Amino acid sequence: HEVGMGVGSGFKELADTEAAKAGGGMIVVFPQGGSIDAQKTGIWASCGSDCLTAKGQAAKSAKGGQMADWDDIGFLEQLIANMVKSSPHKGKIDAERIYMTGFSNGCMMAHRFAMERSKMVAALGCHGGELNMVGTNVKTEMDSEKATHNIQP
């Protein structure tokens, strides 16, 4: 979901998942990002593994300390594992057909998760967000990012 919608259910209201689920065999999950303010505004730590690096801390400092830096990569990884292995969904979810989407900050998180856990995500489709903290479109630098996270090709 985007920052300010507060909860995953806010994205659920915007998403037309009922039409997609009507085809059968699809389970949709709307996780919620954490909160860094008193209004409990939902936000994803879309900086991923960079959150606690010098690069991530510099970005947090530049934003006046207002940047999520908890482990949402681990949270989403565990959520997927729980959905695949636990009832009532046990045996109903193909671990090789996990798809992610999002809008705004949720899109940034989906991009980051797909980059850092590329072996867990079959495809990504989202709107209104970018892969943050990569900061380049130079091929050699992108190749380095891909190698870091074992992204093929």
Side-chain angles (χ1 to χ4, degrees):
H1 62 82
E2 66 175 311
V3 174
M5 289 183 74
V7 294
S9 60
F11 185 70
K12 183 178 182 181
E13 291 175 19
L14 293 175
D16 186 11
T17 57
E18 294 307 313
K21 289 192 302 186
M26 184 168 144
I27 297 170
V28 181
V29 179
F30 296 93
Q32 177 176 329
S35 176
I36 60 172
D37 61 19
Q39 287 125 352
K40 306 291 185 212
T41 302
I43 188 169
W44 290 105
S46 57
C47 49
S49 64
D50 287 331
C51 287
L52 299 178
T53 66
K55 179 179 173 180
Q57 291 304 301
K60 183 174 183 174
S61 179
K63 293 177 180 254
Q66 294 294 304
M67 185 177 95
D69 60 3
W70 47 79
D71 184 15
D72 276 334
I73 297 290
F75 166 71
L76 291 171
E77 185 174 34
Q78 189 62 54
L79 174 66
I80 292 168
N82 288 348
M83 292 294 295
V84 169
K85 296 176 184 174
S86 301
S87 54
H89 306 294
K90 189 174 186 175
K92 296 180 181 178
I93 298 175
D94 182 347
E96 294 189 12
R97 294 178 58 196
I98 304 295
Y99 304 92
M100 296 193 86
T101 189
F103 175 71
S104 189
N105 182 235
C107 178
M108 292 176 189
M109 188 68 236
H111 274 288
R112 177 58 75 158
F113 188 84
M115 180 178 84
E116 293 197 21
R117 298 296 187 270
S118 60
K119 293 187 185 310
M120 293 182 71
V121 179
L124 162 74
C126 60
H127 176 71
E130 63 185 1
L131 177 60
N132 64 355
M133 295 196 66
V134 171
T136 185
N137 61 2
V138 176
K139 183 179 181 334
T140 55
E141 293 173 7
M142 288 304 295
D143 286 347
S144 174
E145 288 287 337
K146 288 167 54 176
T148 298
H149 299 291
N150 195 26
I151 298 172
Q152 306 298 321

